[in-house]
Amino acid sequence: MAVFVALGAFLMTLAGGWTAQRVTDRRHLVLGLAGGLMLGVVGLDLLPEALKAAGEEIFGVPAALLLFVAGFLLAHLVERLLAARQASHGGEESNGRAPEVGLTAAAAMVGHSYMDGVAIGAAFQVGGGMGTAVTLAVVAHDFADGFNTYTITSLYGNARRKALTMLFADAVAPVAGAASAAFATIPEGLLGGYLGLFGGVLLYLAAAEILPEAHHEHPARSTLLCTVAGAAFIWLVVGLAG
């Protein structure tokens, strides 16, 4: 049952990626929406769950927040190292961005979608009602995951074929996660730490890359409205799922 309902997440992820690639003539609006979606996911979904699951403190600070900061710094460090390596080897970048960063970020999105599938499988082990509630939450925000996966991969100059490959992997991941949940259980503290780290990576991509690019050539009011709409959509999803 868990694997069957996870197919809904598979289809919703593909729908998000399809939407992202079909509106390329409004690239600034796509990026503005993607930035808002990512901001909403981090602030309204990932961080609250991370703090709930990994609430212990380390030197007066919740472990989830420390990992959140570490994720932000890790994303910045990886981007700088890859860009410097590519420049030293005479490789071309896409607007100063290393394509490997986009693939790495997309891979992190795939990992997150896999964990969504694990959550579906674990919830169905608790009971059908819990499984249905978790599934609805995952399916609702997997549209944003697919949208962001395709957008991030493309933004960093990767070919359309690679962006589609990462999108398909992101769509398959929740199904695989739901299937694997029947054989293993992830400790709650470890899951909370992962969510905090992943949230930091996403926030870096949204604040340092996606949103500045969205407003670089088209500092329009419509772009800002798309960003606000993206964050509001995640708020709606979180509210309905709760």
Side-chain angles (χ1 to χ4, degrees):
M1 176 62 72
V3 175
F4 177 76
V5 299
L7 291 175
F10 171 86
L11 295 175
M12 190 62 76
T13 301
L14 291 181
W18 180 85
T19 301
Q21 65 174 310
R22 295 295 294 179
V23 291
T24 51
D25 57 328
R26 292 288 185 268
R27 184 170 179 269
H28 59 292
L29 299 180
V30 172
L31 293 175
L33 179 62
L37 290 171
M38 293 168 73
L39 177 61
V41 168
V42 172
L44 306 177
D45 187 15
L46 294 181
L47 272 184
E49 289 297 325
L51 288 169
K52 187 187 304 182
E56 67 275 8
E57 294 187 353
I58 299 177
F59 204 63
V61 178
L65 291 183
L66 288 175
L67 287 167
F68 172 76
V69 173
F72 188 97
L73 294 175
L74 178 64
H76 178 60
L77 177 63
V78 168
E79 183 186 37
R80 291 299 88 207
L81 288 177
L82 288 176
R85 188 191 69 175
Q86 189 151 326
S88 67
H89 285 81
E92 295 184 357
E93 298 179 1
S94 174
N95 296 322
R97 296 181 172 88
E100 294 91 340
V101 175
L103 292 176
T104 302
M109 296 291 292
V110 172
H112 177 59
S113 293
Y114 176 84
M115 298 302 295
D116 281 346
V118 172
I120 292 176
F124 269 98
Q125 291 179 14
V126 175
M130 175 67 72
T132 301
V134 172
T135 299
L136 289 176
V138 169
V139 169
H141 88 251
D142 269 358
F143 179 87
D145 284 351
F147 191 98
N148 289 334
T149 298
Y150 185 89
T151 301
I152 290 172
T153 309
S154 302
L155 177 64
Y156 280 83
N158 291 285
R160 182 172 180 270
R161 176 177 56 83
K162 290 185 177 180
L164 290 174
T165 298
M166 296 308 297
L167 172 63
F168 184 75
D170 190 43
V172 171
V175 181
S180 65
F183 306 100
T185 302
I186 300 176
E188 187 177 20
L190 182 61
L191 179 61
Y194 159 78
L195 292 176
L197 186 71
F198 180 65
V201 172
L202 274 192
L203 183 63
Y204 176 82
L205 292 173
E209 301 295 336
I210 301 284
L211 290 177
E213 181 69 15
H215 292 275
H216 177 60
E217 296 181 357
H218 297 275
R221 185 177 301 174
S222 57
T223 306
L224 178 60
L225 290 176
C226 282
T227 303
V228 174
F233 172 75
I234 298 299
W235 184 15
L236 176 64
V237 169
V238 171
L240 292 176

PDB file of all heavy atoms in Angstrom, residues 21-46:
ATOM      1  N   GLN A  21      10.031  23.283 -17.006  1.00  0.00           N
ATOM      2  CA  GLN A  21      10.650  23.342 -18.330  1.00  0.00           C
ATOM      3  C   GLN A  21       9.736  23.956 -19.386  1.00  0.00           C
ATOM      4  O   GLN A  21      10.212  24.436 -20.412  1.00  0.00           O
ATOM      5  CB  GLN A  21      11.091  21.950 -18.784  1.00  0.00           C
ATOM      6  CG  GLN A  21       9.982  20.960 -19.005  1.00  0.00           C
ATOM      7  CD  GLN A  21      10.482  19.661 -19.598  1.00  0.00           C
ATOM      8  OE1 GLN A  21      11.204  19.655 -20.578  1.00  0.00           O
ATOM      9  NE2 GLN A  21      10.106  18.550 -18.982  1.00  0.00           N
ATOM     10  N   ARG A  22       8.437  23.992 -19.133  1.00  0.00           N
ATOM     11  CA  ARG A  22       7.509  24.537 -20.118  1.00  0.00           C
ATOM     12  C   ARG A  22       7.395  26.058 -20.066  1.00  0.00           C
ATOM     13  O   ARG A  22       6.854  26.664 -20.984  1.00  0.00           O
ATOM     14  CB  ARG A  22       6.113  23.941 -19.908  1.00  0.00           C
ATOM     15  CG  ARG A  22       6.025  22.457 -20.156  1.00  0.00           C
ATOM     16  CD  ARG A  22       6.291  22.084 -21.594  1.00  0.00           C
ATOM     17  NE  ARG A  22       5.265  22.602 -22.491  1.00  0.00           N
ATOM     18  CZ  ARG A  22       5.274  22.442 -23.805  1.00  0.00           C
ATOM     19  NH1 ARG A  22       6.285  21.800 -24.384  1.00  0.00           N
ATOM     20  NH2 ARG A  22       4.302  22.929 -24.553  1.00  0.00           N
ATOM     21  N   VAL A  23       7.903  26.680 -19.010  1.00  0.00           N
ATOM     22  CA  VAL A  23       7.755  28.131 -18.872  1.00  0.00           C
ATOM     23  C   VAL A  23       9.110  28.823 -18.936  1.00  0.00           C
ATOM     24  O   VAL A  23       9.351  29.815 -18.280  1.00  0.00           O
ATOM     25  CB  VAL A  23       7.032  28.503 -17.551  1.00  0.00           C
ATOM     26  CG1 VAL A  23       5.592  28.076 -17.610  1.00  0.00           C
ATOM     27  CG2 VAL A  23       7.716  27.873 -16.348  1.00  0.00           C
ATOM     28  N   THR A  24      10.009  28.292 -19.772  1.00  0.00           N
ATOM     29  CA  THR A  24      11.358  28.861 -19.866  1.00  0.00           C
ATOM     30  C   THR A  24      11.368  30.267 -20.457  1.00  0.00           C
ATOM     31  O   THR A  24      12.340  31.010 -20.293  1.00  0.00           O
ATOM     32  CB  THR A  24      12.260  27.955 -20.719  1.00  0.00           C
ATOM     33  OG1 THR A  24      11.586  27.678 -21.970  1.00  0.00           O
ATOM     34  CG2 THR A  24      12.541  26.639 -20.017  1.00  0.00           C
ATOM     35  N   ASP A  25      10.308  30.660 -21.174  1.00  0.00           N
ATOM     36  CA  ASP A  25      10.262  32.008 -21.720  1.00  0.00           C
ATOM     37  C   ASP A  25       9.992  33.046 -20.633  1.00  0.00           C
ATOM     38  O   ASP A  25      10.075  34.245 -20.876  1.00  0.00           O
ATOM     39  CB  ASP A  25       9.187  32.106 -22.810  1.00  0.00           C
ATOM     40  CG  ASP A  25       7.810  31.710 -22.299  1.00  0.00           C
ATOM     41  OD1 ASP A  25       7.755  30.848 -21.406  1.00  0.00           O
ATOM     42  OD2 ASP A  25       6.807  32.266 -22.796  1.00  0.00           O
ATOM     43  N   ARG A  26       9.674  32.580 -19.447  1.00  0.00           N
ATOM     44  CA  ARG A  26       9.501  33.466 -18.285  1.00  0.00           C
ATOM     45  C   ARG A  26      10.464  33.005 -17.192  1.00  0.00           C
ATOM     46  O   ARG A  26      10.081  32.765 -16.064  1.00  0.00           O
ATOM     47  CB  ARG A  26       8.056  33.408 -17.786  1.00  0.00           C
ATOM     48  CG  ARG A  26       7.040  34.012 -18.743  1.00  0.00           C
ATOM     49  CD  ARG A  26       7.176  35.526 -18.763  1.00  0.00           C
ATOM     50  NE  ARG A  26       6.139  36.156 -19.591  1.00  0.00           N
ATOM     51  CZ  ARG A  26       6.276  36.440 -20.870  1.00  0.00           C
ATOM     52  NH1 ARG A  26       7.426  36.143 -21.473  1.00  0.00           N
ATOM     53  NH2 ARG A  26       5.317  37.011 -21.567  1.00  0.00           N
ATOM     54  N   ARG A  27      11.732  32.947 -17.556  1.00  0.00           N
ATOM     55  CA  ARG A  27      12.740  32.358 -16.670  1.00  0.00           C
ATOM     56  C   ARG A  27      12.818  33.070 -15.333  1.00  0.00           C
ATOM     57  O   ARG A  27      12.966  32.435 -14.286  1.00  0.00           O
ATOM     58  CB  ARG A  27      14.103  32.384 -17.357  1.00  0.00           C
ATOM     59  CG  ARG A  27      15.233  31.712 -16.581  1.00  0.00           C
ATOM     60  CD  ARG A  27      16.459  31.585 -17.465  1.00  0.00           C
ATOM     61  NE  ARG A  27      17.574  30.968 -16.745  1.00  0.00           N
ATOM     62  CZ  ARG A  27      18.477  31.659 -16.069  1.00  0.00           C
ATOM     63  NH1 ARG A  27      18.396  32.980 -16.020  1.00  0.00           N
ATOM     64  NH2 ARG A  27      19.462  31.041 -15.442  1.00  0.00           N
ATOM     65  N   HIS A  28      12.716  34.399 -15.349  1.00  0.00           N
ATOM     66  CA  HIS A  28      12.828  35.140 -14.098  1.00  0.00           C
ATOM     67  C   HIS A  28      11.669  34.813 -13.157  1.00  0.00           C
ATOM     68  O   HIS A  28      11.838  34.766 -11.938  1.00  0.00           O
ATOM     69  CB  HIS A  28      12.895  36.644 -14.366  1.00  0.00           C
ATOM     70  CG  HIS A  28      11.709  37.191 -15.088  1.00  0.00           C
ATOM     71  ND1 HIS A  28      11.431  36.883 -16.402  1.00  0.00           N
ATOM     72  CD2 HIS A  28      10.721  38.049 -14.697  1.00  0.00           C
ATOM     73  CE1 HIS A  28      10.344  37.518 -16.782  1.00  0.00           C
ATOM     74  NE2 HIS A  28       9.887  38.221 -15.770  1.00  0.00           N
ATOM     75  N   LEU A  29      10.475  34.553 -13.738  1.00  0.00           N
ATOM     76  CA  LEU A  29       9.338  34.181 -12.904  1.00  0.00           C
ATOM     77  C   LEU A  29       9.508  32.775 -12.341  1.00  0.00           C
ATOM     78  O   LEU A  29       9.156  32.510 -11.183  1.00  0.00           O
ATOM     79  CB  LEU A  29       8.040  34.261 -13.714  1.00  0.00           C
ATOM     80  CG  LEU A  29       7.683  35.645 -14.276  1.00  0.00           C
ATOM     81  CD1 LEU A  29       6.380  35.572 -15.054  1.00  0.00           C
ATOM     82  CD2 LEU A  29       7.588  36.677 -13.156  1.00  0.00           C
ATOM     83  N   VAL A  30      10.059  31.877 -13.159  1.00  0.00           N
ATOM     84  CA  VAL A  30      10.319  30.515 -12.700  1.00  0.00           C
ATOM     85  C   VAL A  30      11.296  30.516 -11.535  1.00  0.00           C
ATOM     86  O   VAL A  30      11.087  29.848 -10.505  1.00  0.00           O
ATOM     87  CB  VAL A  30      10.879  29.652 -13.855  1.00  0.00           C
ATOM     88  CG1 VAL A  30      11.346  28.288 -13.332  1.00  0.00           C
ATOM     89  CG2 VAL A  30       9.832  29.457 -14.934  1.00  0.00           C
ATOM     90  N   LEU A  31      12.380  31.294 -11.676  1.00  0.00           N
ATOM     91  CA  LEU A  31      13.380  31.351 -10.619  1.00  0.00           C
ATOM     92  C   LEU A  31      12.822  32.022  -9.366  1.00  0.00           C
ATOM     93  O   LEU A  31      13.126  31.608  -8.243  1.00  0.00           O
ATOM     94  CB  LEU A  31      14.623  32.107 -11.106  1.00  0.00           C
ATOM     95  CG  LEU A  31      15.422  31.415 -12.215  1.00  0.00           C
ATOM     96  CD1 LEU A  31      16.555  32.317 -12.695  1.00  0.00           C
ATOM     97  CD2 LEU A  31      15.987  30.084 -11.727  1.00  0.00           C
ATOM     98  N   GLY A  32      12.021  33.059  -9.554  1.00  0.00           N
ATOM     99  CA  GLY A  32      11.405  33.710  -8.397  1.00  0.00           C
ATOM    100  C   GLY A  32      10.489  32.756  -7.643  1.00  0.00           C
ATOM    101  O   GLY A  32      10.520  32.694  -6.410  1.00  0.00           O
ATOM    102  N   LEU A  33       9.693  31.978  -8.389  1.00  0.00           N
ATOM    103  CA  LEU A  33       8.815  30.997  -7.764  1.00  0.00           C
ATOM    104  C   LEU A  33       9.624  29.901  -7.074  1.00  0.00           C
ATOM    105  O   LEU A  33       9.306  29.497  -5.942  1.00  0.00           O
ATOM    106  CB  LEU A  33       7.887  30.389  -8.813  1.00  0.00           C
ATOM    107  CG  LEU A  33       6.914  29.321  -8.324  1.00  0.00           C
ATOM    108  CD1 LEU A  33       5.961  29.901  -7.284  1.00  0.00           C
ATOM    109  CD2 LEU A  33       6.135  28.730  -9.492  1.00  0.00           C
ATOM    110  N   ALA A  34      10.676  29.431  -7.742  1.00  0.00           N
ATOM    111  CA  ALA A  34      11.521  28.381  -7.154  1.00  0.00           C
ATOM    112  C   ALA A  34      12.152  28.859  -5.852  1.00  0.00           C
ATOM    113  O   ALA A  34      12.211  28.115  -4.861  1.00  0.00           O
ATOM    114  CB  ALA A  34      12.601  27.955  -8.146  1.00  0.00           C
ATOM    115  N   GLY A  35      12.623  30.111  -5.834  1.00  0.00           N
ATOM    116  CA  GLY A  35      13.215  30.648  -4.609  1.00  0.00           C
ATOM    117  C   GLY A  35      12.212  30.704  -3.477  1.00  0.00           C
ATOM    118  O   GLY A  35      12.527  30.370  -2.328  1.00  0.00           O
ATOM    119  N   GLY A  36      10.980  31.111  -3.780  1.00  0.00           N
ATOM    120  CA  GLY A  36       9.948  31.161  -2.756  1.00  0.00           C
ATOM    121  C   GLY A  36       9.574  29.780  -2.253  1.00  0.00           C
ATOM    122  O   GLY A  36       9.378  29.578  -1.046  1.00  0.00           O
ATOM    123  N   LEU A  37       9.471  28.825  -3.160  1.00  0.00           N
ATOM    124  CA  LEU A  37       9.167  27.456  -2.760  1.00  0.00           C
ATOM    125  C   LEU A  37      10.246  26.898  -1.837  1.00  0.00           C
ATOM    126  O   LEU A  37       9.957  26.270  -0.813  1.00  0.00           O
ATOM    127  CB  LEU A  37       9.037  26.563  -3.999  1.00  0.00           C
ATOM    128  CG  LEU A  37       7.803  26.792  -4.883  1.00  0.00           C
ATOM    129  CD1 LEU A  37       7.918  26.001  -6.182  1.00  0.00           C
ATOM    130  CD2 LEU A  37       6.525  26.415  -4.148  1.00  0.00           C
ATOM    131  N   MET A  38      11.516  27.136  -2.201  1.00  0.00           N
ATOM    132  CA  MET A  38      12.623  26.624  -1.393  1.00  0.00           C
ATOM    133  C   MET A  38      12.657  27.291  -0.025  1.00  0.00           C
ATOM    134  O   MET A  38      12.891  26.642   0.999  1.00  0.00           O
ATOM    135  CB  MET A  38      13.941  26.816  -2.142  1.00  0.00           C
ATOM    136  CG  MET A  38      14.037  25.960  -3.406  1.00  0.00           C
ATOM    137  SD  MET A  38      15.413  26.406  -4.479  1.00  0.00           S
ATOM    138  CE  MET A  38      16.778  25.756  -3.528  1.00  0.00           C
ATOM    139  N   LEU A  39      12.423  28.607   0.000  1.00  0.00           N
ATOM    140  CA  LEU A  39      12.386  29.324   1.276  1.00  0.00           C
ATOM    141  C   LEU A  39      11.274  28.789   2.161  1.00  0.00           C
ATOM    142  O   LEU A  39      11.462  28.567   3.372  1.00  0.00           O
ATOM    143  CB  LEU A  39      12.183  30.819   1.022  1.00  0.00           C
ATOM    144  CG  LEU A  39      12.053  31.708   2.262  1.00  0.00           C
ATOM    145  CD1 LEU A  39      13.318  31.640   3.112  1.00  0.00           C
ATOM    146  CD2 LEU A  39      11.762  33.150   1.852  1.00  0.00           C
ATOM    147  N   GLY A  40      10.105  28.554   1.568  1.00  0.00           N
ATOM    148  CA  GLY A  40       8.994  28.016   2.336  1.00  0.00           C
ATOM    149  C   GLY A  40       9.265  26.622   2.860  1.00  0.00           C
ATOM    150  O   GLY A  40       8.961  26.303   4.016  1.00  0.00           O
ATOM    151  N   VAL A  41       9.841  25.770   2.025  1.00  0.00           N
ATOM    152  CA  VAL A  41      10.168  24.405   2.447  1.00  0.00           C
ATOM    153  C   VAL A  41      11.125  24.413   3.629  1.00  0.00           C
ATOM    154  O   VAL A  41      10.957  23.678   4.604  1.00  0.00           O
ATOM    155  CB  VAL A  41      10.764  23.603   1.270  1.00  0.00           C
ATOM    156  CG1 VAL A  41      11.384  22.299   1.762  1.00  0.00           C
ATOM    157  CG2 VAL A  41       9.682  23.297   0.245  1.00  0.00           C
ATOM    158  N   VAL A  42      12.148  25.276   3.547  1.00  0.00           N
ATOM    159  CA  VAL A  42      13.149  25.332   4.620  1.00  0.00           C
ATOM    160  C   VAL A  42      12.541  25.863   5.918  1.00  0.00           C
ATOM    161  O   VAL A  42      12.638  25.233   6.974  1.00  0.00           O
ATOM    162  CB  VAL A  42      14.343  26.216   4.201  1.00  0.00           C
ATOM    163  CG1 VAL A  42      15.284  26.437   5.388  1.00  0.00           C
ATOM    164  CG2 VAL A  42      15.101  25.568   3.061  1.00  0.00           C
ATOM    165  N   GLY A  43      11.921  27.054   5.840  1.00  0.00           N
ATOM    166  CA  GLY A  43      11.467  27.714   7.057  1.00  0.00           C
ATOM    167  C   GLY A  43      10.203  27.146   7.667  1.00  0.00           C
ATOM    168  O   GLY A  43      10.029  27.191   8.891  1.00  0.00           O
ATOM    169  N   LEU A  44       9.324  26.598   6.832  1.00  0.00           N
ATOM    170  CA  LEU A  44       8.016  26.174   7.325  1.00  0.00           C
ATOM    171  C   LEU A  44       7.856  24.664   7.422  1.00  0.00           C
ATOM    172  O   LEU A  44       6.911  24.186   8.055  1.00  0.00           O
ATOM    173  CB  LEU A  44       6.916  26.742   6.411  1.00  0.00           C
ATOM    174  CG  LEU A  44       6.955  28.257   6.183  1.00  0.00           C
ATOM    175  CD1 LEU A  44       5.867  28.670   5.206  1.00  0.00           C
ATOM    176  CD2 LEU A  44       6.838  29.013   7.493  1.00  0.00           C
ATOM    177  N   ASP A  45       8.761  23.917   6.803  1.00  0.00           N
ATOM    178  CA  ASP A  45       8.636  22.459   6.786  1.00  0.00           C
ATOM    179  C   ASP A  45       9.860  21.779   7.395  1.00  0.00           C
ATOM    180  O   ASP A  45       9.767  21.085   8.413  1.00  0.00           O
ATOM    181  CB  ASP A  45       8.408  21.991   5.347  1.00  0.00           C
ATOM    182  CG  ASP A  45       8.106  20.501   5.267  1.00  0.00           C
ATOM    183  OD1 ASP A  45       7.794  19.897   6.301  1.00  0.00           O
ATOM    184  OD2 ASP A  45       8.175  19.938   4.156  1.00  0.00           O
ATOM    185  N   LEU A  46      11.027  21.987   6.787  1.00  0.00           N
ATOM    186  CA  LEU A  46      12.220  21.251   7.224  1.00  0.00           C
ATOM    187  C   LEU A  46      12.686  21.624   8.633  1.00  0.00           C
ATOM    188  O   LEU A  46      12.909  20.742   9.470  1.00  0.00           O
ATOM    189  CB  LEU A  46      13.366  21.478   6.232  1.00  0.00           C
ATOM    190  CG  LEU A  46      13.188  20.913   4.830  1.00  0.00           C
ATOM    191  CD1 LEU A  46      14.424  21.192   3.980  1.00  0.00           C
ATOM    192  CD2 LEU A  46      12.920  19.418   4.881  1.00  0.00           C
TER     193      LEU A  46
END
